[in-house]
Amino acid sequence: MQNGEHFGMEDETYTDIDGKAISLECQSHSGFCREFTVSSAKVSISRVMVYTCAVWMTAYIIFFFTEVDHETLLVIGSLGVQVSSSYASGRESTDFIEMDKIKDIVINEAIHMQRVIYYLCILLKDPSDPSGVSSVVPLFQSSKPRLNCLVKVYRSCQEILAKC
Amino acid sequence: MVLKIFFPQCCNKADSGLLVGHWLPGQDSAVVLAVIHYPFIPGQVKQYIHQIRGQSGVDLAVLGSWSMPKEGQEGMESFLRELRTIFPQGRWLQLSREMGKIGFTSGGEGKTKEEKTGEEGDKVIFVHYEQRKVMLSQLHPTDPPVPLTQSTSELRQVFGTVSQSESLFFLDKYDDSPVKLTHWQSEGREGSIIVELMKQASTPVCLLTAWILVLWTSLCNSRSVCLGRVLEPSETLKANIFMSFLLDVTLGLLLIYWLYRENRVGQLANALLPAADRVAKELEELLQWLMGAPAGLKMNRALDQVLGRFFLYHIHLWISYIHLMSPFIEMILWYVGLSACLGLTFALSLLSDIIALLTFHIYCFYVYGARLYCLKVYGLTSLWRLFRGRKWNVLRQRVDSCSYDMDQLFIGTLLFTILLFLLPTTALYYLVFTLLRMVVVMVQGVLQLTVDFINSFPLFALGLRVFRSYTLAEGVKFSVLCEEPGTPLHLMMDINPLKFSSVVQTYRTATYSCYPKDSWLALCKKLFLGELIYPWRHKTTKID
């Protein structure tokens, strides 16, 4: 046997104690010097990349369909108020509330998780009770602006609501 | 006050003329339905409007004048103002539009002159709407048709006005009549045979087939103009049932084609007998296991042998019965498969029944086991009460104390002990057979759910939602059209279609399905006590 020659690769397949395939390589450097290498199956980097990419793509697609891009409030005096949110995918969901059903637009306080926040909302009239409120429609739920922004919108809305 | 004028988009480019429409009661708004062009005779116009008012039931009136001067047509303004005297109204609108400009200007005159002077007049909002779509659409939630009173909401009144004024849209400016109108029909007509067919349609059956044809043509053509009618909700429901039935039959025919093409029925019949044999053999093995020491538990040998041998003999009888039937099975299956032409739901229900027949022995075993167990449990509870010196008072439906004799107590205690120690054996048999029965019930349940789903799925309504989304309206959307300084506000009103989930919820056809009346807790209690469970009990049948 010459120096540095490998033994013939045995056809016998080896496994470790768990059953995973391993390979044995025997190298003979000289008559009294031999080297044995045992290597297990490599985790191919391409596979890892593919799985990571798949996970990120799924997350991005979910984000694409559920994330809100912008929210709009359109107040038309004596006609009604239109609330619409548009998503990152371009889809828009709109809701129109007629002026007859609206009691008032107010800024309200709420306990959200561990904080107290301000939010702008539309109070709807109760058909059976003229002075009561049947339900509350909160606005700008995804953007959740702070009080200074809400006050600006509130003052502007009240100007229009007062006129009609 | 702000004046709202609902203006149809088709009249944006109409020639000058009179505006015909309806003032909404109680609101400061008007719905413009059509424009009558010059030349006209005022008497004929009044007569025509009176006729349409009677036919449609909508309080039509001449709202005002519309002027869109073309080149060379000057001096119309004074003529238009004089028209006011011919049609005496409370309010008179004067809308004018110039070529090249997009906005309208209006001069509305109130009843008294004082309202007009001092300001620039009433503030006006123009709401543009697409007349054909609004006419054909149905606002959800659909209320029963009410007259357009003051109490209904403004949008409902607008939709109601446009859809009820169908008779106004028969005459057109291209027709040879004394009154020349512009409305949505003037936007271009396709004289196709199908349109003529639909004009003649009056019975619901024709309407349904015509709608299916329209759906097909709208699939083929990109744009089809047709004189449709507003679909009432009941008609949509009927159409849904019809379409479900069609789908059912189509799927059934597909199934038949698949079954009979390669003589799969024969293969099925040949596979059925070995399958039944295999099930019986598995059951026998199960019983042998139970008769030994199942899961390491020690059973009462005598009772074990009795029950085990009884069930084994039962299985033996069953297998003989199946073997007796074997020559006829293929023929029966062949004819049963043919019945799928009546619909896939029919075939699935038949399959469910066949499964019930083939697993009849499991049902029998369950009943035997349950009855034995139930008897044992009742005996135990009663004797337990005796053990403690109490008794069940049937009259008062409660437990009372009672003094027993010595020999009653002795025998009672003895029986109690016997029943208690025989309980594990019976309980195990009961448990095993109940589990088997639950498996069969679940398979049948899945088939039943599929049948329900096919029957109740509103295919027609979903098709409408996909192809003609404006017919099912949840609400409206407004968008602001371009603003020019000096012109009033122009808004575009689009129809907001119903969400798919709402469509399915609103138009699901009710099916005659028997869902289990028991909640999960009641079910568990029944299982524990050994009472028999009837999953498909109808309300009318009595429980014995």
Side-chain angles (χ1 to χ4, degrees):
Chain A
M1 212 164 295
Q2 308 221 340
N3 285 3
E5 198 183 83
H6 298 248
F7 280 2
M9 292 289 171
E10 284 103 18
D11 291 340
E12 208 178 321
T13 47
Y14 296 107
T15 53
D16 64 2
I17 51 170
D18 295 320
K20 214 164 57 164
I22 54 172
S23 68
L24 174 68
E25 202 180 295
C26 317
Q27 200 174 2
S28 166
H29 297 284
S30 85
F32 48 86
C33 177
R34 283 189 194 146
E35 188 180 346
F36 301 95
T37 313
V38 176
S39 56
S40 54
K42 295 178 254 299
V43 175
S44 63
I45 204 124
S46 55
R47 224 168 168 205
V48 170
M49 290 283 288
V50 165
Y51 285 145
T52 321
C53 280
V55 169
W56 280 111
M57 289 300 289
T58 321
Y60 183 71
I61 287 172
I62 293 176
F63 169 88
F64 185 70
F65 281 115
T66 53
E67 196 70 8
V68 172
D69 190 28
H70 59 261
E71 294 169 294
T72 315
L73 175 75
L74 178 67
V75 178
I76 310 168
S78 86
L79 201 58
V81 173
Q82 172 170 293
V83 182
S84 90
S85 20
S86 112
Y87 296 86
S89 49
R91 176 171 61 106
E92 276 204 32
S93 97
T94 323
D95 198 18
F96 180 72
I97 306 166
E98 292 181 61
M99 205 45 105
D100 296 336
K101 295 207 185 84
I102 295 180
K103 189 155 194 280
D104 204 357
I105 298 184
V106 296
I107 297 183
N108 215 353
E109 274 180 292
I111 300 177
H112 173 70
M113 300 281 233
Q114 78 285 13
R115 308 189 270 198
V116 176
I117 59 167
Y118 293 102
Y119 67 100
L120 192 67
C121 61
I122 304 177
L123 302 176
L124 298 181
K125 282 188 194 153
D126 193 6
S128 52
D129 180 16
S131 63
V133 174
S134 78
S135 58
V136 167
V137 178
L139 303 171
F140 304 125
Q141 280 197 287
S142 314
S143 337
K144 297 195 191 74
R146 280 203 179 208
L147 192 60
N148 46 3
C149 174
L150 292 178
V151 164
K152 192 164 172 194
V153 177
Y154 169 78
R155 290 218 174 106
S156 199
C157 286
Q158 287 295 330
E159 271 176 30
I160 297 187
L161 288 182
K163 275 190 210 158
C164 54
Chain B
M1 274 309 289
V2 184
L3 180 67
K4 291 164 274 196
I5 302 176
F6 290 86
F7 200 78
Q9 270 207 310
C10 45
C11 298
N12 271 355
K13 293 207 166 58
D15 296 331
S16 315
L18 285 176
L19 294 169
V20 172
H22 172 61
W23 284 102
L24 294 180
Q27 324 269 357
D28 238 341
S29 3
V31 180
V32 174
L33 292 169
V35 176
I36 298 182
H37 299 295
Y38 312 114
F40 57 83
I41 304 171
Q44 278 188 333
V45 168
K46 283 189 196 168
Q47 194 190 21
Y48 181 67
I49 290 181
H50 187 74
Q51 178 196 346
I52 299 290
R53 207 186 287 166
Q55 273 179 4
S56 63
V58 177
D59 190 15
L60 285 179
V62 174
L63 298 175
S65 68
W66 163 252
S67 93
M68 170 129 144
K70 296 212 162 58
E71 298 89 28
Q73 257 185 354
E74 306 296 341
M76 291 285 262
E77 304 300 322
S78 51
F79 174 58
L80 290 171
R81 249 177 270 126
E82 279 161 31
L83 279 174
R84 215 212 144 167
T85 50
I86 308 174
F87 297 99
Q89 303 288 339
R91 297 180 90 149
W92 183 258
L93 297 172
Q94 253 178 268
L95 303 182
S96 62
R97 184 188 171 177
E98 286 155 50
M99 291 292 285
K101 272 195 168 181
I102 300 174
F104 300 169
T105 50
S106 88
E109 295 179 5
K111 225 175 180 161
T112 53
K113 283 272 181 185
E114 287 83 58
E115 277 174 29
K116 196 193 166 205
T117 55
E119 305 170 38
E120 49 186 63
D122 294 330
K123 294 207 182 59
V124 186
I125 300 181
F126 286 98
V127 180
H128 296 260
Y129 68 96
E130 243 201 81
Q131 202 165 41
R132 184 176 142 258
K133 287 193 176 171
V134 170
M135 191 182 85
L136 293 174
S137 100
Q138 181 88 8
L139 263 185
H140 290 76
T142 48
D143 292 331
V146 286
L148 300 171
T149 59
Q150 214 156 334
S151 55
T152 48
S153 78
E154 190 177 8
L155 281 175
R156 256 181 217 280
Q157 288 184 26
V158 170
F159 275 70
T161 310
V162 179
S163 57
Q164 280 175 23
S165 318
E166 268 179 73
S167 36
L168 180 65
F169 303 131
F170 283 152
L171 278 184
D172 198 349
K173 68 178 178 196
Y174 301 115
D175 291 329
D176 195 19
S177 68
V179 183
K180 296 207 185 315
L181 296 160
T182 299
H183 43 73
W184 65 272
Q185 285 271 56
S186 330
E187 260 190 346
R189 289 158 140 201
E190 286 177 13
S192 64
I193 302 174
I194 295 173
V195 172
E196 294 306 315
L197 252 182
M198 290 200 61
K199 280 189 183 163
Q200 307 302 324
S202 54
T203 56
V205 175
C206 287
L207 178 70
L208 283 173
T209 45
W211 263 111
I212 294 166
L213 279 170
V214 161
L215 276 175
W216 272 113
T217 50
S218 61
L219 273 173
C220 307
N221 314 332
S222 54
R223 173 176 162 246
S224 75
V225 177
C226 59
L227 184 70
R229 303 197 302 119
V230 181
L231 271 186
E232 303 293 322
S234 60
E235 286 175 359
T236 319
L237 285 171
K238 283 187 213 148
N240 273 331
I241 296 174
F242 186 64
M243 290 288 282
S244 300
F245 178 67
L246 269 184
L247 174 76
D248 202 7
V249 171
T250 317
L251 286 175
L253 288 172
L254 275 176
L255 181 72
I256 286 183
Y257 175 66
W258 178 80
L259 269 182
Y260 288 91
R261 193 166 56 143
E262 288 164 21
N263 195 23
R264 286 227 174 81
V265 187
Q267 289 174 5
L268 220 77
N270 289 340
L272 204 66
L273 203 57
D277 267 342
R278 175 113 184 283
V279 167
K281 208 152 82 75
E282 295 282 333
L283 267 179
E284 275 181 20
E285 276 181 28
L286 182 72
L287 281 169
Q288 294 289 355
W289 181 65
L290 280 176
M291 275 161 71
L297 297 167
K298 186 155 192 285
M299 318 294 284
N300 181 294
R301 180 146 287 269
L303 185 62
D304 219 357
Q305 296 282 325
V306 162
L307 286 174
R309 289 221 187 105
F310 171 65
F311 288 131
L312 275 174
Y313 184 62
H314 208 282
I315 292 178
H316 171 76
L317 279 177
W318 180 254
I319 287 298
S320 331
Y321 168 66
I322 292 270
H323 279 277
L324 208 71
M325 286 272 295
S326 61
F328 307 110
I329 284 187
E330 179 164 353
M331 195 166 57
I332 293 177
L333 266 184
W334 205 86
Y335 285 114
V336 158
L338 267 186
S339 69
C341 71
L342 288 170
L344 184 68
T345 47
F346 198 86
L348 282 176
S349 315
L350 267 178
L351 181 68
S352 167
D353 286 336
I354 287 177
I355 288 177
L357 277 177
L358 284 180
T359 55
F360 187 63
H361 48 333
I362 295 181
Y363 180 57
C364 284
F365 289 173
Y366 163 69
V367 172
Y368 302 149
R371 287 274 188 234
L372 265 177
Y373 179 75
C374 178
L375 212 67
K376 187 153 284 193
V377 166
Y378 273 110
L380 273 174
T381 44
S382 171
L383 289 172
W384 171 247
R385 279 187 225 118
L386 177 137
F387 205 66
R388 287 160 57 225
R390 294 183 181 274
K391 197 178 92 164
W392 174 253
N393 191 337
V394 183
L395 200 63
R396 297 287 180 99
Q397 295 287 313
R398 64 169 189 212
V399 180
D400 281 340
S401 62
C402 168
S403 61
Y404 291 98
D405 293 337
M406 196 42 109
D407 43 357
Q408 280 177 333
L409 274 177
F410 183 62
I411 293 182
T413 315
L414 210 61
L415 280 173
F416 176 75
T417 324
I418 292 174
L419 283 178
L420 184 67
F421 288 130
L422 289 179
L423 186 65
T425 315
T426 333
L428 196 70
Y429 274 91
Y430 171 65
L431 183 73
V432 168
F433 292 132
T434 310
L435 283 175
L436 281 174
R437 173 85 186 126
M438 288 297 125
V439 166
V440 172
V441 163
M442 263 196 281
V443 169
Q444 281 189 295
V446 164
L447 285 172
Q448 185 73 21
L449 278 176
T450 320
V451 167
D452 264 351
F453 178 72
I454 295 179
N455 276 337
S456 74
F457 194 65
L459 198 66
F460 184 68
L462 275 181
L464 264 187
R465 168 68 180 87
V466 168
F467 295 116
R468 272 153 196 259
S469 48
Y470 54 82
T471 34
L472 305 168
E474 192 185 25
V476 291
K477 293 195 267 225
F478 288 96
S479 49
V480 181
L481 295 174
C482 59
E483 302 139 40
E484 279 170 18
T487 56
L489 182 66
H490 288 261
L491 297 169
M492 179 71 207
M493 183 170 91
D494 286 316
I495 293 184
N496 201 10
L498 211 53
K499 291 197 244 298
F500 282 103
S501 48
S502 320
V503 172
V504 172
Q505 224 170 347
T506 323
Y507 287 104
R508 263 167 65 118
T509 42
T511 48
Y512 179 64
S513 62
C514 27
Y515 288 113
K517 314 273 170 307
D518 300 320
S519 62
W520 286 107
L521 206 64
L523 185 73
C524 285
K525 187 169 166 237
K526 274 195 177 167
L527 278 175
F528 189 68
L529 286 180
E531 283 175 32
L532 286 176
I533 298 169
Y534 302 98
W536 320 119
R537 188 137 293 248
H538 292 246
K539 280 195 185 113
T540 48
T541 46
K542 280 202 236 167
I543 304 174
D544 55 311

